[in-house]
Amino acid sequence: KIQVYNYGKHRRDITYIDDIVEGIVRVLDKPATSNPESSGNNPDSGSSMAPWLIFNIGNNNPVDLMDYIEALEKALGKKAKKNFLPLQPGDVSETYADINPVRLGGNGVTAFVSITRGCDNMCTFCVVPFTRGRERSRDVKSIVTEVKKAVDQGFVEITLLGQNVNAYLYEEENSNFKLSDLIMALEEISELKRIRYTTSHPKDMTDDLIECYEKSKKLMPFVHLPIQSGSDRILKLMNRKPVSYTHLT
């Protein structure tokens, strides 16, 4: 099976593309009477199937389009004519790391820098994994470069942003960089005075990040940590981890 939305342990992603393909095939098998121009226009079939199909996919999942098309081609037993350019492999994990924002307005003191995109937590009430895709972390160099440019523009405080910012993990061939490593790298920027980050998840509040509050002279003594509920039953329904007793220990 092709897994377009592969979010790990959760079952909802296993049949998602199968359900979509099945629904599309049923639609294509129906006469396209609602559009006069489409009736009888299919050169490959004697029926009045619609010869075209419009995909509406998330703006962070452009490569998923190929998965949809390949699954449909297999289900329909025919090849589709495609009028788009092939996407590059690197587009799969797009983080917009190479796009430096133009900072207009604001207080001229704090600059906000996104270091992750998407989320893997799959909380029951949240739409982020479906609209922004899986969690991806920007590379350290691009973040440091953006922060330096912000400092050059006069900003003295940086707030690192992410849907689950303390899960930041950038992997290279021989090393991994956590949020604590990133903070210590930003510590070296002399003109930068203060560092903050938001929003955090309790399960990713690791010892190395906690120790960073002692090591760093610029990390502010504040953490935004939404615990959400003190009830194990509610946390389970919300698919939030860890359960309440872990927060209390």
Side-chain angles (χ1 to χ4, degrees):
K1 293 181 180 180
I2 300 173
Q3 297 182 10
V4 174
Y5 295 96
N6 180 15
Y7 295 118
K9 300 179 181 178
H10 302 281
R11 295 290 299 176
R12 73 179 72 182
D13 64 314
I14 302 301
T15 59
Y16 190 74
I17 192 169
D18 296 329
D19 294 340
I20 292 177
V21 169
E22 181 181 358
I24 292 176
V25 171
R26 288 180 179 178
V27 171
L28 292 177
D29 281 340
K30 293 182 179 180
T33 54
S34 60
N35 188 338
E37 295 181 359
S38 67
S39 299
N41 278 349
N42 190 340
D44 300 322
S45 173
S47 67
S48 56
M49 289 172 57
W52 38 259
L53 185 64
I54 298 175
F55 283 91
N56 185 6
I57 60 176
N59 60 348
N60 289 302
N61 301 291
V63 181
D64 293 345
L65 178 58
M66 291 302 301
D67 292 334
Y68 282 107
I69 292 177
E70 290 174 3
L72 278 171
E73 288 176 337
K74 183 177 180 180
L76 294 171
K78 61 180 67 177
K79 291 291 183 180
K81 294 180 180 180
K82 312 172 188 67
N83 60 345
F84 54 84
L85 296 175
L87 297 165
Q88 300 302 316
D91 292 337
V92 176
S93 57
E94 179 60 78
T95 60
Y96 306 118
D98 56 339
I99 301 177
N100 289 312
V102 177
R103 305 183 189 280
L104 302 175
N107 58 14
V109 175
T110 301
F112 296 91
V113 177
S114 295
I115 65 172
T116 68
R117 293 186 66 83
C119 186
D120 287 345
N121 285 324
M122 298 295 292
C123 298
T124 305
F125 53 85
C126 188
V127 73
V128 169
F130 298 102
T131 57
R132 297 186 178 180
R134 294 203 62 176
E135 188 174 272
R136 295 98 71 201
S137 297
R138 290 177 56 185
D139 65 281
V140 176
K141 291 182 179 179
S142 71
I143 297 172
V144 172
T145 298
E146 183 177 339
V147 171
K148 285 182 177 179
K149 288 184 177 180
V151 170
D152 290 341
Q153 295 174 17
F155 293 92
V156 296
E157 179 177 289
I158 293 294
T159 300
L160 305 175
L161 300 179
Q163 186 69 27
N164 186 23
V165 70
N166 57 339
Y168 174 86
L169 180 63
Y170 180 71
E171 301 176 345
E172 289 186 341
E173 292 184 2
N174 300 318
S175 57
N176 296 331
F177 294 90
K178 299 181 180 179
L179 179 58
S180 57
D181 300 315
L182 175 60
I183 290 172
M184 297 311 297
L186 297 176
E187 181 95 3
E188 301 300 318
I189 303 176
S190 58
E191 296 84 358
L192 180 63
K193 304 302 181 185
R194 296 182 294 275
I195 302 172
R196 302 178 187 271
Y197 62 87
T198 192
T199 293
S200 308
H201 195 294
K203 72 178 179 62
D204 295 306
M205 202 65 197
T206 55
D207 290 342
D208 60 285
L209 183 56
I210 295 173
E211 292 170 0
C212 198
Y213 281 90
E214 180 180 2
K215 295 178 180 178
S216 174
K217 304 301 181 183
K218 299 181 180 181
L219 180 60
M220 292 293 97
F222 168 83
V223 59
H224 182 217
L225 196 66
I227 295 177
Q228 301 284 359
S229 175
S231 165
D232 286 353
R233 182 181 70 84
I234 296 299
L235 287 170
K236 184 176 181 180
L237 290 172
M238 296 167 69
N239 197 32
R240 293 280 293 184
K241 301 178 182 65
V243 291
S244 61
Y245 72 83
T246 305
H247 299 322
L248 300 174
T249 58

